[in-house]
Amino acid sequence: MSAAHTTGAGDGADLIGVDLVGLDEDLGATSSEVIRVLADRIAASGRAASGDTLAADAITREASVGTGVPGGIAIPHARSTSVSAPTLAFTRLARTVPFGAPDGDADVVFMIAVPDGADKDHLTVLSTLARALIRDDFTAALRAATTPQDIVDLVDREVSGEVAAAGVGTAGRASGASTGTATTTAGQEARPTTGADTHVVDSDTSETGGRRKVIVGVTACPTGIAHTYMAADALVAAAQRAGAEMHVETQGSSQVEPLDPALIARADAVVFAVDVDVRDRSRFAGKPLVSGPVKRGVDEPDAMIAEALRAADDPKAARVSGSAAEAGTSTAKDEHFGQSLKRWLLTGVSYMIPFVAGGGLLIALGFLLSGYGIALTHGDDGVNNAVWTLQHSTLLDLPAQGLGYYLGAAAFQIGSVSLGFLVAALAGYIAYAIADRPGIAPGFVAGSIAVFMNAGFLGGLVGGLIAGAAAYWIGRIPTWRWLRGLMPVVIIPLFASIIASGLMLLVLGGPIAWLMTQLTEFLNSLSGASAVLLGIILGLMMAFDLGGPVNKVAYAFAVAGLGAGSASNVVPFEIMAAVMAAGMVPPLALALASTVLYRNGFTKPERENGKAAWLLGASFISEGAIPFAAADPLRVIPASMVGAAVTGAISMAAGVTSRAPHGGIFVFFAIGGIGMFIVAVLAGTVVSALVLVALKKWVRRAPAATDAAAAQAASAGETVGQRAPVAV
């Protein structure tokens, strides 16, 4: 039997045979009926233990997003524990069946069945075949085939690279299934890239002399086999038709080759055609964004590209959320250890912040409704008043203080539980950044052990790094094929948890806890000039990179200490107030300077951003200053740092406290000394604004080399008010 072979797939196992091919047959009126017949056919060939199980998995996948694509093609596919070898089954239907394609029913169906532990070589080949199905020449050949052997031979030639790469619709063939990215330049055939910018010398210039628009994108689907790559090829071809340059990162089951950070930096817009989270989304921060499900990338690529081109010229377009510092974070293979470490830590802190922001605001709401006494211990019960109230009351049996007090207790307790995840989430997502999903469970466990050992924030950092490293190296140990499916869900989490949590519990937790105790005692001893100096340092850190690693270190330091605050130890609350007040200064100062003091010194888009920055600054969203800092960093950042340092110093000197980790002026009820808090913020805002105006009037902007990059960054940061709020 002639069969298609997985070139370079290690064992050369057949993907398809004549027993898996049917021509001009009636398999039923629905997609589920067709899938069941093909699943039984695969099971009968000995490639799946149960046709029913495989069919159920494929039908479940079909129910989430239809697998029909334009041109009368359907590609039902699934990962299934019942499948023993990567397999293709094909049918050409005598009557068409609906598979959810926008242009009608399907008459050509390729079913892809993949075991959970399929290796990357097999997945690459399957992805290559899936993306071939949007090529006119390949689908025409499938319809013209007269025997099952013709279908097998077509697949065989496609896998072995014998199908011609020329002609209409061949962009998909050349777009690089093996590299993980698809790229094209208008007027040029799409070709492989390794994440580097590989366009021809004159591709940056259109025929009329203007610069071509550059679009970057990410495609991803839950299974990462078919739609991920088909959407990439469809978008590449659509960009070519629109006269634009397109580069796509396919985050599928094959190896992911990240886009070059320099390419992302010069992109005019971003397209996300995804059904799952985009990995390292922050790389695209500030870029105009068009997003939709991965199937839209297959069905409507021209519409998505047209929207991206319009968004590139629209200062009010939606943009990718994130900070300027994160946007510059590299994920390239050649990054050195320091860059990798920064990326890992930033990932952990970024995922931790939602727990902090949501939990902190709920705690603040609890204080507003129930008073600060809700956090105090209730008599000799060993629990706080919130817990005691929830244990002894219900909505039908309210406490004596009334409904407001009861709801405040609930809000406080929910917020406390959310903040309780802080260290575990930090460790879990540091490990995730190092080892991907297999690192999450070991990281969370190591972070929880750090809390158990009183090792705190620092323990979470160490535990996350150890868990991630352990999961990473365990995942690269060669093993048997039958065991590969168990590696990410059982073997890696088990042994990485033993290693990381064992080290934390038996060796490292005690010393780290001692170090945290010493640090806490040192902070508690600060007063007078020492406290003011700490306020200055925290203020400088908050304004240095506006949401970048230095800013996040200061913020995370303050948040991590909140749990140690109490009526007898208010230093952690003072540090939190200084950090929050200082973080409000940069956007407020830029708003004041651009809309009131020196309007002529700012461009029209900057003045529009300045209006939004009033609210962003008042809410403690430091990213409101990013558009200004990106365009003119050598004047904006120093001015912001001066004002933030003034604010931090005044706040610490006045003993202002904040029991809420976020919210700015809108959590006034959780701020002790609200009057001095406002004075500190106003003083820093005025100082920063005046310094910036002076610098703009009397210090010439740094010329030459960095202007192009600054202009691009400014474009990326415009209309930050349209982006989803970021915690710091």
Side-chain angles (χ1 to χ4, degrees):
M1 175 180 65
S2 175
H5 297 280
T6 56
T7 305
D11 63 356
D14 296 342
L15 284 175
I16 190 171
V18 292
D19 57 332
L20 295 168
V21 176
L23 297 179
D24 305 319
E25 51 187 354
D26 188 341
L27 302 186
T30 67
S31 60
S32 296
E33 290 177 287
V34 174
I35 289 171
R36 287 191 182 96
V37 173
L38 295 179
D40 288 339
R41 194 170 287 172
I42 292 171
S45 72
R47 298 164 180 266
S50 169
D52 290 339
T53 300
L54 173 57
D57 291 337
I59 290 170
T60 299
R61 170 68 183 86
E62 192 73 26
S64 63
V65 179
T67 57
V69 297
I73 308 294
I75 319 150
H77 53 276
R79 292 176 180 269
S80 177
T81 55
S82 70
V83 178
S84 56
T87 302
L88 298 170
F90 174 85
T91 183
R92 192 172 65 205
L93 298 172
R95 60 166 168 164
T96 59
V97 173
F99 274 83
D103 62 343
D105 298 345
D107 66 321
V108 171
V109 181
F110 250 118
M111 182 168 176
I112 303 175
V114 182
D116 279 340
D119 59 49
K120 290 183 178 179
D121 289 332
H122 279 110
L123 295 173
T124 297
V125 171
L126 291 171
S127 303
T128 302
L129 289 169
R131 68 202 310 170
L133 289 170
I134 64 170
R135 295 205 335 260
D136 295 338
D137 61 326
F138 187 67
T139 55
L142 292 174
R143 288 192 169 94
T146 58
T147 67
Q149 187 62 53
D150 291 340
I151 300 295
V152 171
D153 291 342
L154 277 169
V155 174
D156 192 28
R157 288 198 298 273
E158 183 66 28
V159 171
S160 58
E162 295 172 11
V163 174
V168 178
T170 57
R173 170 72 184 169
S175 59
S178 63
T179 64
T181 58
T183 183
T184 188
T185 298
Q188 303 293 326
E189 180 112 3
R191 56 197 181 279
T193 177
T194 58
D197 191 4
T198 59
H199 58 275
V200 296
V201 174
D202 65 348
S203 67
D204 273 349
T205 306
S206 68
E207 295 176 2
T208 59
R211 186 179 77 83
R212 296 187 192 279
K213 287 289 193 295
V214 178
I215 305 173
V216 295
V218 173
T219 59
C221 65
T223 52
I225 300 170
H227 284 81
T228 296
Y229 303 94
M230 298 174 72
D233 293 340
L235 289 168
V236 162
Q240 185 172 352
R241 290 190 292 270
E245 179 183 341
M246 180 79 190
H247 302 261
V248 181
E249 178 178 304
T250 51
Q251 295 186 354
S253 295
S254 302
Q255 180 164 347
V256 177
E257 188 72 32
L259 289 166
D260 188 334
L263 180 63
I264 296 174
R266 69 182 185 87
D268 297 289
V270 177
V271 174
F272 290 159
V274 297
D275 292 332
V276 295
D277 290 340
V278 175
R279 302 177 197 172
D280 298 316
R281 182 189 181 97
S282 60
R283 294 172 292 159
F284 306 94
K287 297 289 182 182
L289 172 66
V290 172
S291 62
V294 69
K295 199 167 186 300
R296 190 180 181 223
V298 179
D299 296 342
E300 304 175 25
D302 292 286
M304 294 193 81
I305 294 299
E307 291 173 22
L309 293 174
R310 289 195 297 270
D313 295 323
D314 182 3
K316 296 183 179 180
R319 297 184 179 260
V320 183
S321 61
S323 72
E326 289 175 319
T329 301
S330 171
T331 57
K333 289 181 179 179
D334 59 352
E335 67 180 2
H336 57 68
F337 177 75
Q339 292 173 318
S340 297
L341 180 61
K342 182 181 79 170
R343 174 166 57 85
W344 300 335
L345 297 181
L346 279 177
T347 299
V349 173
S350 296
Y351 278 99
M352 175 196 79
I353 284 174
F355 291 95
V356 174
L361 292 175
L362 282 168
I363 288 176
L365 180 62
F367 288 147
L368 175 65
L369 295 174
S370 305
Y372 293 128
I374 198 70
L376 301 179
T377 301
H378 183 275
D380 298 326
D381 292 340
V383 298
N384 60 38
N385 286 318
V387 173
W388 190 91
T389 299
L390 294 171
Q391 289 175 341
H392 293 81
S393 306
T394 68
L395 282 171
L396 300 178
D397 182 19
L398 294 171
Q401 296 91 335
L403 177 62
Y405 186 88
Y406 180 75
L407 294 178
F412 178 88
Q413 190 58 28
I414 295 170
S416 298
V417 171
S418 178
L419 279 182
F421 285 102
L422 187 155
V423 175
L426 173 70
Y429 287 107
I430 287 175
Y432 164 73
I434 298 172
D436 213 319
R437 293 184 183 181
I440 293 179
F444 265 84
V445 174
S448 299
I449 293 296
V451 174
F452 173 75
M453 297 294 292
N454 294 317
F457 181 71
L458 183 58
L461 288 176
V462 175
L465 290 171
I466 296 174
Y472 179 88
W473 289 112
I474 293 172
R476 275 148 186 77
I477 297 174
T479 186
W480 300 277
R481 179 182 297 275
W482 61 267
L483 191 59
R484 291 179 188 174
L486 294 176
M487 289 293 288
V489 294
V490 178
I491 306 301
I492 296 176
L494 171 63
F495 288 98
S497 296
I498 291 173
I499 293 171
S501 298
L503 283 173
M504 287 299 300
L505 189 63
L506 303 177
V507 180
L508 299 174
I512 295 175
W514 176 86
L515 184 60
M516 291 296 294
T517 300
Q518 299 304 308
L519 177 60
T520 301
E521 292 178 353
F522 167 74
L523 291 175
N524 290 339
S525 69
L526 292 178
S527 61
S530 298
V532 171
L533 177 60
L534 178 60
I536 292 173
I537 293 172
L538 292 173
L540 292 172
M541 294 175 70
M542 289 299 295
F544 178 72
D545 53 3
L546 303 174
V550 177
N551 170 287
K552 280 186 167 61
V553 166
Y555 182 73
F557 169 72
V559 171
L562 278 180
S566 65
S568 60
N569 176 23
V570 297
V571 172
F573 300 144
E574 292 176 350
I575 292 173
M576 189 70 253
V579 163
M580 184 155 65
M584 295 167 63
V585 166
L588 289 175
L590 269 301
L592 178 62
S594 63
T595 64
V596 178
L597 299 181
Y598 191 39
R599 290 175 53 84
N600 292 338
F602 295 85
T603 65
K604 183 177 179 180
E606 285 177 329
R607 291 195 295 272
E608 291 299 314
N609 286 332
K611 296 175 183 178
W614 284 113
L615 179 60
L616 296 172
S619 305
F620 180 37
I621 299 175
S622 300
E623 280 80 359
I626 285 177
F628 305 91
D632 190 7
L634 296 183
R635 290 187 289 192
V636 170
I637 290 179
S640 298
M641 291 176 67
V642 171
V646 169
T647 294
I650 294 175
S651 179
M652 289 296 293
V656 178
T657 62
S658 174
R659 287 174 167 80
H662 202 267
I665 195 64
F666 298 103
V667 290
F668 61 90
F669 47 84
I671 297 174
I674 184 64
M676 286 306 299
F677 180 85
I678 294 173
V679 168
V681 172
L682 291 178
T685 298
V686 172
V687 168
S688 273
L690 292 176
V691 170
L692 178 59
V693 170
L695 290 175
K696 280 186 170 287
K697 285 184 175 181
W698 298 311
V699 177
R700 295 189 62 185
R701 181 177 174 179
T706 61
D707 272 4
Q712 176 65 31
S715 174
E718 286 180 5
T719 64
V720 69
Q722 303 294 325
R723 297 185 282 147
V726 181
V728 294

